[in-house]
Amino acid sequence: MQTQKPAARFVFLVVVLAILLFLISVMLMVPGRYTDQLLQQIENQTGVEVLPVEKEYAFLSGKFLLTKPELRISPGITLKSESIAVNVAWTSLWKKTIELDRIDFKKPGIFLDLAIIGQKPPMPNLYQFLREAGQFVFEDGSMRVVNSEQTGSSKVVSIDFSKMELKTHRPDQIDIEVVKDSRHINWSLGGIIDLKKLAMSGQLSIDELPLADVFSQKFLKCSNCSLKGSLSTDLSVEWSMDQGVELTGTAKVLDGEYQDLGSGLNLDWKELFAEGFRFRSRKAFVEDLSFRGGLLTVDGSPLEQIARTVLRPLSADGYLPVKGGSLPVRSSLSAKGSLPIAVKRIEFNGAVQSSQKKNPELFSNSRVELEVLSPEQYTFQLSGHWLERVPVSLEGRVNLSNAVAPSLNLSARDVDLSLLPVSDRSVAGYDLAGSRVNLNLASSVGGGSRGKLIFSKLEARPVNPELDINLVKALMANPQSIIAIDIKARYGQSPLVAAGIAIHQTWERVLEQPLQYLSHQAGITPMLSTEIQMPAGKALLTENDKTQLKGWSRVLRIRPELNLSLKAMASKDRDWPTLSRAELESDLVELYSAIHQTKPGEVKEIPVDIRGHLIEQMYLRAHNRRLPEVGDVSQDERIKEAEQWLLVNWPANQEKMDKLASDRLNLVSEFLRNEGVSEKRIISSPPSTVKQAGSAVEVQLVN
């Protein structure tokens, strides 16, 4: 009996093992029956259609693996993957609802058609499945988004990612996180998807992304241009079926290069900051664009090329968004657009150079600020070092639709002309090295510009001198030793060339017409004269003489290097006839008083007939003969002739002539001193008596 019991136990054990082996063999040898049933149950539960695929289930790990599946998740959404792993606990195999706590996708390819999503209802139970699954993990995948109703290219975006994770912690909302981490591309997107509204809100953080990838997505179009660099940014992301994608925030592009193939403009930079960036409906706008460490290469006018590059693309839309509203944009310029982003303001820091091999450097250490007022108008400011050493600044307003209506102001402050080449700093045979100048030019109506060149210090080394530079300094330098010269530059003419021409012409004109120049500078009307007239035979200033002397004193106040040379004269042809008449009258009074035995002082008037008789006696004494009686000439006429002869031939009184000249000199000198002219600035020549003279006192400038 004891032998039979162990035998019975052995037989029972063998039978149990056989049954277990049979069951296991059924499961292992015929897996398709169960996996088909499991897949069918998952499809019914989720509403996702899975096309025929290889599948297997591991009881020990509970992992249900689909190899190279294709899933039709919902109208407009399909997914292909190298494999999909679903965690299904074996204890739930006999339950009515399978518990799915995590789904892993390896190398998935996701396809979305925006024209279909939202237009057709999703698969039954899809949203419930998304909420119940809890977590979806996509690794090393790609996503392609299209719009089949979009004219032209239907592609909206195509991206590759390292990992995408979906989590459902709240009803009707999915947390999404997408990461791309590779050698040259690093970015992440995190946010929340609202299943009811079919909208997303989140944040896009880009550590490194080549601009070539941005343009390959056709988010931005660079017409007739090329753009390189590495993008780094943090942007707020909003998406909805109605509004599409909207990105806002601040962007940064490092080590970039922009080329406008139409104008020849080329721009390189170390850092580019885009403040107030906004992207919506495939249109981009930037409030402030700031370049650091830039190098701008241009063919012609740098400001005009920058402006045309910036302004032309604004016409692609009907309106340009700005703070508080929008600006209308002409459609006539849309075909000429080059820059892919509409810009309100630009700030550039770096160097500006010409593409020409000769004199390539235009501005170093420069700063350019440009602000768009309308699609064809902008204001600008530029400051920098021209020829690497000359500090200059420009500012103004330009209307691209009106070539003759720009507003331009050019200024250069305290420039040492030693910084310029010898050929550019030489004027009228003098090398102006060491001189310091300020330059201001403003555009004028009809083209060209006008302004002033101001020498705060004038140094002139003679090389082959063409004029007296010392006299130029004395005539032009004010009390602060400043010399101002008016400049006029033709349209397109170099300010440097215009300045050189203006200096030379002004110096020559000042030397040729010093009185006209000084009268203008001192605001004197009428113009200064070198002649102080005074009445003939008198030391007396007329009102006109006083006006002239006041003008000269004003000139000396504004020209400290000038002095006045005075030359007083008494002339025989102009002054002596007056003096001789006085002596004649004195002699007539003496004769009359002697004849009538009265004192000369008591004689008030000589009767006409007696006066004529006395003149006749004086004439006879001089000629020793009577007045001739000629024809019908009257006695009065003959006496008048005799009187005139006596005046002309009256012996000159040198003492009186000298005194007249001396009195005139003293009178002019005293008047000038009373007007504030220093004694040392009045250089007087000795008074003199001359045969002929055009004035009583001659005034000459000396330095």
Side-chain angles (χ1 to χ4, degrees):
M1 291 294 295
Q2 293 179 352
T3 303
Q4 291 179 349
K5 287 182 178 182
R9 292 175 180 173
F10 176 75
V11 172
F12 177 76
L13 181 60
V14 170
V15 172
V16 171
L17 289 174
I19 294 172
L20 289 175
L21 289 173
F22 174 75
L23 292 174
I24 293 172
S25 66
V26 169
M27 294 180 182
L28 295 179
M29 298 302 294
V30 193
R33 182 183 304 173
Y34 174 73
T35 54
D36 288 343
Q37 181 180 350
L38 179 59
L39 181 59
Q40 183 65 46
Q41 189 173 352
I42 291 175
E43 285 183 323
N44 295 335
Q45 182 176 326
T46 63
V48 176
E49 180 184 359
V50 182
L51 299 185
V53 65
E54 297 180 14
K55 47 195 175 297
E56 60 181 83
Y57 179 76
F59 280 89
L60 296 179
S61 63
K63 180 175 288 188
F64 184 38
L65 183 67
L66 304 179
T67 303
K68 296 183 178 180
E70 179 177 349
L71 281 64
R72 295 179 179 175
I73 300 173
S74 183
I77 305 176
T78 60
L79 182 148
K80 294 181 180 180
S81 182
E82 186 175 291
S83 66
I84 300 177
V86 185
N87 290 337
V88 182
W90 67 273
T91 55
S92 67
L93 296 179
W94 292 275
K95 294 182 180 180
K96 184 177 181 180
T97 301
I98 299 176
E99 297 177 0
L100 305 174
D101 62 351
R102 178 185 173 107
I103 303 178
D104 292 286
F105 298 82
K106 185 177 181 181
K107 296 184 178 180
I110 305 171
F111 177 85
L112 294 87
D113 190 338
L114 299 179
I116 300 176
I117 297 176
Q119 303 299 321
K120 296 182 180 180
M123 292 292 188
N125 306 323
L126 175 62
Y127 291 166
Q128 182 179 352
F129 162 65
L130 293 175
R131 288 192 293 268
E132 293 177 352
Q135 185 176 14
F136 299 82
V137 179
F138 304 82
E139 296 184 352
D140 297 324
S142 63
M143 178 183 297
R144 184 167 180 257
V145 182
V146 301
N147 186 347
S148 57
E149 293 182 352
Q150 182 173 286
T151 57
S153 174
S154 63
K155 178 181 175 182
V156 175
V157 65
S158 179
I159 60 173
D160 297 328
F161 55 84
S162 302
K163 185 177 182 180
M164 180 167 66
E165 189 170 348
L166 305 178
K167 295 181 181 179
T168 56
H169 298 311
R170 295 172 296 277
D172 301 322
Q173 288 187 343
I174 297 177
D175 293 343
I176 180 172
E177 183 177 359
V178 186
V179 176
K180 176 65 176 180
D181 187 4
S182 65
R183 183 177 179 182
H184 296 295
I185 302 177
N186 294 278
W187 56 266
S188 64
L189 171 66
I192 298 175
I193 299 175
D194 191 313
L195 296 177
K196 285 186 176 180
K197 298 179 180 179
L198 286 179
M200 189 194 84
S201 178
Q203 188 78 16
L204 174 63
S205 297
I206 300 175
D207 294 328
E208 184 180 9
L209 178 66
L211 285 180
D213 284 23
V214 177
F215 287 99
S216 68
Q217 301 298 334
K218 297 185 178 179
F219 279 119
L220 304 174
K221 294 183 180 180
C222 195
S223 175
N224 201 30
C225 65
S226 66
L227 193 59
K228 301 176 183 177
S230 178
L231 177 64
S232 175
T233 183
D234 287 299
L235 299 174
S236 174
V237 181
E238 299 290 337
W239 174 83
S240 66
M241 288 298 302
D242 297 333
Q243 301 296 327
V245 178
E246 181 175 355
L247 306 175
T248 57
T250 300
K252 180 170 67 173
V253 179
L254 303 177
D255 299 321
E257 179 185 8
Y258 169 80
Q259 287 183 316
D260 188 326
L261 304 179
S263 66
L265 180 144
N266 188 89
L267 177 61
D268 298 271
W269 66 86
K270 294 294 184 183
E271 293 180 318
L272 167 61
F273 297 92
E275 301 283 348
F277 174 79
R278 182 182 179 188
F279 176 85
R280 184 177 180 181
S281 301
R282 307 188 73 82
K283 305 174 187 70
F285 171 74
V286 172
E287 187 75 22
D288 294 284
L289 204 60
S290 178
F291 295 87
R292 297 288 184 271
L295 175 61
L296 177 64
T297 304
V298 296
D299 275 343
S301 169
L303 290 169
E304 184 172 343
Q305 285 191 259
I306 294 172
R308 289 191 178 278
T309 300
V310 172
L311 295 172
R312 287 178 295 181
L314 305 188
S315 58
D317 311 318
Y319 292 86
L320 166 67
V322 296
K323 289 184 178 179
S326 60
L327 293 173
V329 180
R330 288 187 181 180
S331 60
S332 59
L333 298 176
S334 59
K336 300 179 181 179
S338 54
L339 192 67
I341 300 174
V343 182
K344 178 63 177 174
R345 283 183 294 272
I346 287 182
E347 177 187 325
F348 172 84
N349 292 271
V352 182
Q353 69 178 17
S354 170
S355 59
Q356 300 176 2
K357 293 183 179 180
K358 183 179 180 181
N359 300 323
E361 188 74 28
L362 296 177
F363 298 100
S364 60
N365 300 321
S366 62
R367 174 187 175 91
V368 179
E369 294 183 11
L370 189 147
E371 181 173 359
V372 177
L373 301 178
S374 70
E376 292 186 343
Q377 295 187 57
Y378 67 94
T379 62
F380 63 86
Q381 291 183 339
L382 181 150
S383 60
H385 287 78
W386 178 60
L387 298 178
E388 297 185 342
R389 296 168 292 182
V390 181
V392 297
S393 63
L394 298 113
E395 62 179 13
R397 177 183 295 193
V398 171
N399 186 341
L400 293 177
S401 64
N402 188 350
V404 298
S407 171
L408 169 67
N409 295 303
L410 166 66
S411 62
R413 296 283 183 267
D414 195 29
V415 178
D416 184 352
L417 296 188
S418 302
L419 301 175
L420 300 179
V422 176
S423 58
D424 292 334
R425 68 177 189 237
S426 297
V427 178
Y430 289 92
D431 184 354
L432 304 187
S435 300
R436 305 192 78 89
V437 300
N438 295 324
L439 174 64
N440 290 280
L441 276 177
S443 58
S444 58
V445 177
S449 55
R450 296 176 181 270
K452 285 190 178 296
L453 178 73
I454 299 175
F455 282 90
S456 57
K457 178 183 179 183
L458 176 56
E459 297 287 341
R461 182 177 62 85
V463 178
N464 187 20
E466 302 172 12
L467 43 77
D468 185 351
I469 193 64
N470 292 323
L471 182 55
V472 168
K473 290 181 180 180
L475 289 169
M476 300 190 68
N478 69 10
Q480 291 76 38
S481 300
I482 291 174
I483 296 175
I485 295 175
D486 293 328
I487 296 179
K488 181 179 180 181
R490 300 189 308 274
Y491 181 77
Q493 186 180 34
S494 164
L496 189 62
V497 174
I501 294 173
I503 293 171
H504 196 171
Q505 291 179 345
T506 301
W507 287 355
E508 288 184 335
R509 185 173 64 253
V510 167
L511 292 178
E512 290 173 359
Q513 301 175 335
L515 299 187
Q516 182 177 348
Y517 170 76
L518 292 173
S519 298
H520 176 73
Q521 295 298 310
I524 298 171
T525 304
M527 189 178 74
L528 288 171
S529 172
T530 59
E531 298 179 345
I532 305 299
Q533 295 295 333
M534 294 190 188
K538 296 181 180 180
L540 178 67
L541 292 174
T542 65
E543 290 302 317
N544 183 64
D545 293 336
K546 292 178 182 179
T547 300
Q548 287 293 322
L549 291 175
K550 287 180 179 180
W552 281 114
S553 63
R554 190 182 309 171
V555 166
L556 295 183
R557 283 197 296 271
I558 67 172
R559 293 295 183 264
E561 297 300 319
L562 287 178
N563 298 314
L564 290 184
S565 172
L566 303 180
K567 183 179 181 181
M569 298 164 290
S571 63
K572 293 180 179 180
D573 69 328
R574 181 171 180 268
D575 295 313
W576 182 240
T578 302
L579 291 177
S580 64
R581 179 175 292 280
E583 289 200 2
L584 174 61
E585 294 296 333
S586 177
D587 284 0
L588 288 173
V589 170
E590 286 185 6
L591 285 173
Y592 181 80
S593 61
I595 294 172
H596 292 80
Q597 297 180 352
T598 60
K599 295 180 180 180
E602 297 177 355
V603 179
K604 295 182 178 180
E605 185 178 3
I606 303 175
V608 175
D609 56 340
I610 297 176
R611 186 177 185 278
H613 177 71
L614 293 176
I615 289 175
E616 185 176 2
Q617 293 298 317
M618 294 176 72
Y619 181 83
L620 289 172
R621 190 184 350 172
H623 282 267
N624 196 22
R625 62 186 177 88
R626 291 173 58 86
L627 289 173
E629 296 183 10
V630 179
D632 57 353
V633 177
S634 66
Q635 177 70 13
D636 291 340
E637 289 178 347
R638 288 187 291 116
I639 291 174
K640 189 175 181 179
E641 246 180 64
E643 183 179 357
Q644 186 62 37
W645 184 91
L646 289 172
L647 291 174
V648 173
N649 294 279
W650 198 273
N653 188 329
Q654 189 62 41
E655 182 179 351
K656 287 188 176 182
M657 292 286 281
D658 291 343
K659 185 177 184 303
L660 176 62
S662 179
D663 290 345
R664 286 174 168 176
L665 177 61
N666 293 334
L667 182 62
V668 171
S669 298
E670 183 180 1
F671 188 93
L672 290 173
R673 288 194 298 269
N674 291 337
E675 289 294 317
V677 179
S678 171
E679 182 73 37
K680 65 180 182 180
R681 300 186 67 183
I682 302 174
I683 302 172
S684 302
S685 300
S688 62
T689 300
V690 296
K691 186 175 182 180
Q692 290 182 331
S695 63
V697 179
E698 288 184 358
V699 181
Q700 297 293 335
L701 288 168
V702 293
N703 62 310

